Amino acid sequence: MILIVDDKPENIFSLKTILEMHSFPTDTALSGEEALKKILRKSYALIILDVQMPGMDGFEVAETISGYSKARDIPILFLSAANTDKKFITKGYSSGGLDYITKPIDPDILLLKVKTFYRLYEQNRELNRIQASLRSEIEFRKKVEGELQERAGELHSILESIPQIAFTTSADGKIEFVNEQWLNYAPSKQSFPLTHPDDADLARQWERTVASGKALELEVRVRRVDAEDYRFHLLRAIPIKEGDTITKWVGTFTDIEDQKEAVRRKDEFISIASHELKTPLTTIKAYVQLLDRNIGAEDPTRMYVERTLVQVQKLDNLIVDLLDLSKIESGRLKFNKKPFSLEGVLADAVEMIRQTYPAYTIVRKGTADVELFGDETRIEQVIINYLTNAVKYSPDHKEVQIEAGVESDGQVCVRVKDYGIGIRKDHQSDIFGKFYRVEESANRFQGLGIGLYICAEIIRRHEGQYGVESEPGQGSTFYFTVPLKPYNLSNY
Ligand code: ADP
């Protein structure tokens, strides 16, 4: 908007008409005082100011405007009666555009000057806008940087206060911060702790981790710079992200030597205990079986002998499972693989379960008249385990189905379905883990939680897959698949 200041309404009228004909919006003031009031309230792109006015003349108005911080940059076009006014024009007016035009006004010159000022005004406005946005961008960056530094500071003090060896790296994996513990294990702030010669090379492992962008969890033996012996540590590192972008990595090494030692001792104990229990139990079992065979059908103690045999068998199964567990732990679980008929194994397993649990109906479905390559006894062990669990965890529904078939992808699949207590979704991925038992049912049903762990290991070692589908209260279907043609016979 252009402000026209003149004490003569007819002058204002003619200027206003010329400007508005050329689409310049205008405002008017009939005196210097009125102009100053308006300038304080509104913002203008240009002021056209008559020099000779009663009261405040044009120069006084301009001088006053130069004292207003808000308005001092508004360009002024003086309307002067004679060229002699010219010398006063720059007086007291520090910045902003200044020009004059003499009366009588030539409309072409007026328009030329107004256009120039207007263009300047618009360019100025644009520059101001850019400047303001740059300023706010700088402010924002400063703020973010400050916050980041504050957060990094907090993180560093946390990492300093923990007993673990801790570090952070940049997004591309360069070490940025290490806590004090680090230097007890690493030769310098820039190099990783010293690892056992047989363990992964940490620098290389770190490169791979950073390239993958995925969290790392690794057991590795590291030693103090002043010690000889290595201790197991769990290295855990996670990427810190902003949105989808990794901004840094944070990692810790936690000493797990004591837990490792405890697990080693526990495994050793389980191994020794199950061996020691197995020998006398085998003798007891043999004697009870002998008794069972020789006792008369009518003998009143027959019932007790049969019950004893059932319990001895249960005990024997438990000990066999414990022995298998310790063999898995020590890598001694051996497989005697050769071709065998799956149908034969299924028939034997079903027959055994029918005899052991006469109250249950075991329904066979599908056929899998195929020859598999693997350890027959171990595969039978898996099937018996699935069937035993199906019976055990279905106290109120006495039907169990077993289905076998060859799938289109060349896998043989065995599925055992029961209508028992079922398993909640959040437990389903854990039940094949060592010693895992579903808490809600653990008191109701006896067990050690290792049967499925052994099954999983057996199936894995046959290049197969295993799993469960289940609904609480509706029942479960446990399945496993093994390839009809193993990929790599040389593994066997
Ligand atoms: P155990 O039966 O000795 O506890 P397993 O390793 O065979 O050990 O099974 C682990 C857990 O999985 C069991 O404790 C039980 O909670 C759950 N589970 C296994 N089979 C079934 C099933 N058929 N129905 C419901 N829960 C089952």
Side-chain angles (χ1 to χ4, degrees):
M1 175 112 54
I2 299 172
L3 177 64
I4 307 166
V5 190
D6 201 314
D7 57 318
K8 294 186 189 69
E10 61 276 19
N11 285 354
I12 287 192
F13 178 75
S14 65
L15 282 170
K16 195 172 154 69
T17 313
I18 300 170
L19 293 175
E20 286 185 350
M21 261 169 58
H22 288 85
S23 312
F24 289 108
T26 57
D27 194 3
T28 59
L30 283 163
S31 68
E33 291 80 356
E34 189 190 350
L36 289 176
K37 272 190 212 147
K38 289 202 165 183
I39 288 164
L40 280 178
R41 264 187 282 122
K42 291 191 202 164
S43 70
Y44 295 100
L46 172 67
I47 302 166
I48 299 178
L49 190 55
D50 186 18
V51 173
Q52 286 175 332
M53 287 188 293
M56 275 182 112
D57 71 14
F59 299 134
E60 285 170 318
V61 175
E63 218 172 310
T64 315
I65 294 173
S66 74
Y68 296 169
S69 61
K70 174 174 169 264
R72 68 155 60 103
D73 293 332
I74 305 174
I76 296 176
L77 188 57
F78 288 104
L79 298 176
S80 64
N83 263 349
T84 47
D85 290 339
K86 204 167 64 173
K87 60 177 180 293
F88 299 109
I89 287 176
T90 50
K91 198 177 87 186
Y93 198 78
S94 61
S95 58
L98 275 192
D99 205 348
Y100 69 95
I101 186 162
T102 49
K103 291 178 184 173
I105 289 161
D106 176 339
D108 288 339
I109 295 185
L110 172 77
L111 279 171
L112 204 74
K113 295 198 173 193
V114 166
K115 275 184 192 160
T116 312
F117 276 124
Y118 224 90
R119 206 170 37 243
L120 272 174
Y121 164 77
E122 266 164 5
Q123 282 170 352
N124 231 357
R125 230 177 32 176
E126 180 60 13
L127 274 176
N128 283 343
R129 200 190 56 72
I130 293 172
Q131 203 179 14
S133 89
L134 276 177
R135 210 174 291 133
S136 77
E137 172 80 20
I138 291 169
E139 286 303 312
F140 176 73
R141 277 174 193 238
K142 266 197 203 149
K143 196 167 149 246
V144 170
E145 221 165 85
E147 277 171 11
L148 275 178
Q149 259 170 10
E150 205 173 296
R151 263 166 42 199
E154 273 171 24
L155 176 66
H156 293 169
S157 25
I158 293 171
L159 294 182
E160 210 55 90
S161 71
I162 58 175
Q164 280 98 331
I165 309 167
F167 65 104
T168 69
T169 76
S170 56
D172 59 1
K174 260 198 24 226
I175 298 176
E176 284 182 336
F177 167 85
V178 295
N179 69 356
E180 260 180 47
Q181 278 285 11
W182 181 276
L183 290 173
N184 293 328
Y185 292 84
S188 79
K189 285 186 177 180
Q190 296 313 319
S191 45
F192 277 97
L194 304 164
T195 53
H196 192 279
D198 294 345
D199 286 353
D201 176 66
L202 279 187
R204 207 164 307 144
Q205 177 66 48
W206 186 242
E207 270 171 32
R208 277 200 293 267
T209 303
V210 172
S212 78
K214 298 214 178 85
L216 168 70
E217 218 175 280
L218 179 73
E219 286 187 6
V220 58
R221 282 166 288 181
V222 300
R223 72 169 171 83
R224 292 179 69 97
V225 276
D226 56 0
E228 294 279 290
D229 51 335
Y230 290 88
R231 289 177 71 83
F232 263 106
H233 281 69
L234 177 67
L235 163 59
R236 261 211 193 114
I238 51 160
I240 307 287
K241 291 185 179 177
E242 251 167 45
D244 284 342
T245 321
I246 297 177
T247 53
K248 60 164 62 213
W249 290 80
V250 181
T252 52
F253 290 79
T254 308
D255 190 327
I256 51 166
E257 182 66 29
D258 294 343
Q259 287 104 300
K260 278 263 175 200
E261 183 55 28
V263 170
R264 264 197 297 268
R265 283 215 211 104
K266 183 207 69 195
D267 289 346
E268 201 178 72
F269 171 77
I270 290 177
S271 169
I272 294 172
S274 43
H275 270 108
E276 292 300 314
L277 290 169
K278 179 81 179 147
T279 320
L281 187 69
T282 310
T283 317
I284 294 171
K285 194 171 153 188
Y287 282 128
V288 181
Q289 276 169 340
L290 214 61
L291 256 178
D292 187 44
R293 245 175 269 137
N294 292 332
I295 205 157
E298 302 303 320
D299 193 312
T301 59
R302 181 176 179 86
M303 187 178 75
Y304 302 118
V305 172
E306 274 170 359
R307 285 187 187 169
T308 309
L309 198 55
V310 169
Q311 296 306 320
V312 166
Q313 189 53 50
K314 276 191 186 166
L315 198 55
D316 193 46
N317 291 343
L318 283 177
I319 290 169
V320 167
D321 275 357
L322 283 174
L323 279 170
D324 279 350
L325 174 75
S326 56
K327 280 184 201 155
I328 293 175
E329 299 299 290
S330 58
R332 283 183 295 111
L333 189 68
K334 294 279 176 292
F335 289 87
N336 178 17
K337 291 186 177 173
K338 47 187 192 310
F340 67 91
S341 148
L342 179 63
E343 268 306 312
V345 170
L346 285 168
D348 287 352
V350 168
E351 188 48 35
M352 198 210 119
I353 297 292
R354 280 184 181 143
Q355 276 183 19
T356 320
Y357 305 100
Y360 281 78
T361 312
I362 315 293
V363 180
R364 281 270 339 247
K365 287 179 137 191
T367 47
D369 199 3
V370 289
E371 194 171 71
L372 283 182
F373 188 85
D375 188 322
E376 180 175 359
T377 325
R378 290 293 180 189
I379 294 291
E380 185 173 349
Q381 184 180 350
V382 175
I383 298 171
I384 290 176
N385 217 314
Y386 277 11
L387 285 169
T388 314
N389 277 352
V391 167
K392 177 164 142 190
Y393 294 102
S394 311
D396 303 325
H397 295 83
K398 305 262 183 276
E399 183 182 314
V400 169
Q401 295 171 4
I402 176 162
E403 183 177 3
V406 180
E407 307 203 322
S408 55
D409 56 358
Q411 300 280 321
V412 177
C413 184
V414 176
R415 302 167 71 85
V416 174
K417 182 177 173 64
D418 66 57
Y419 299 91
I421 61 169
I423 304 158
R424 263 192 6 225
K425 280 260 168 319
D426 51 329
H427 291 299
Q428 289 177 15
S429 57
D430 296 320
I431 53 171
F432 287 89
K434 193 165 46 167
F435 300 127
Y436 194 89
R437 309 201 67 223
V438 176
E439 219 178 291
E440 295 95 277
S441 52
N443 290 336
R444 241 176 104 197
F445 304 94
Q446 287 174 346
L448 292 178
I450 50 177
L452 290 179
Y453 175 70
I454 297 167
C455 292
E457 175 71 7
I458 294 172
I459 297 304
R460 262 197 305 268
R461 298 275 297 271
H462 280 82
E463 295 179 15
Q465 308 216 313
Y466 51 84
V468 62
E469 294 149 7
S470 183
E471 274 297 322
Q474 309 282 307
S476 313
T477 301
F478 279 82
Y479 63 87
F480 72 83
T481 62
V482 281
L484 196 51
K485 290 193 178 62
Y487 306 112
N488 194 352
L489 275 173
S490 63
N491 274 351
Y492 296 94

